[in-house]
Amino acid sequence: MSIVVIYGFEGTFTGKAEYDYSFPKIGQKHRCILFLLQDDNELNFEVASLEIVKFGFEKLSNLRGNPLKVEVLNTDSFKGFAGFYHEAIESGSSIVVYPNT
């Protein structure tokens, strides 16, 4: 059974992304959350790091992760993340960027 795991990290955006999305400022450090579809709920920082690089980030720090409990997406605090969850289910991954933080 597939599950979405979320990985938080900080990284520098290089501008060399394989995916088309709303890019943050090049060369600056940003906080981000990666939503990654996995076959199990085991944290896999190596696979997550490779996916983060595809979004155009390097110099990663503070990489941490947790399996996403889908029911939290029904709460007021987390309902804004439902779209990222669904994108990860459909495409394999999705990213939230908090610019210049």
Side-chain angles (χ1 to χ4, degrees):
M1 179 179 161
S2 295
I3 186 169
V4 173
V5 178
I6 54 173
Y7 293 91
F9 69 95
E10 293 177 7
T12 302
F13 185 65
T14 66
K16 300 175 187 171
E18 293 182 26
Y19 300 124
D20 186 27
Y21 69 104
S22 182
F23 295 148
K25 288 192 177 188
I26 295 173
Q28 293 190 0
K29 190 173 187 176
H30 307 283
R31 283 187 321 143
C32 306
I33 302 171
L34 174 71
F35 288 70
L36 184 62
L37 186 65
Q38 298 183 182
D39 292 332
D40 57 42
N41 63 359
E42 294 295 319
L43 298 180
N44 191 330
F45 294 108
E46 184 176 335
V47 171
S49 295
L50 293 172
E51 190 67 13
I52 290 166
V53 169
K54 290 180 183 179
F55 278 99
F57 287 90
E58 65 179 11
K59 299 178 185 171
L60 307 180
S61 62
N62 298 321
L63 183 60
R64 59 216 176 276
N66 268 321
L68 179 66
K69 295 179 179 157
V70 179
E71 59 273 6
V72 302
L73 297 175
N74 294 323
T75 66
D76 288 339
S77 299
F78 293 96
K79 65 182 174 186
F81 293 101
F84 298 100
Y85 168 78
H86 291 293
E87 184 177 356
I89 293 290
E90 293 174 10
S91 302
S93 65
S94 184
I95 196 166
V96 178
V97 177
Y98 299 95
N100 304 317
T101 53

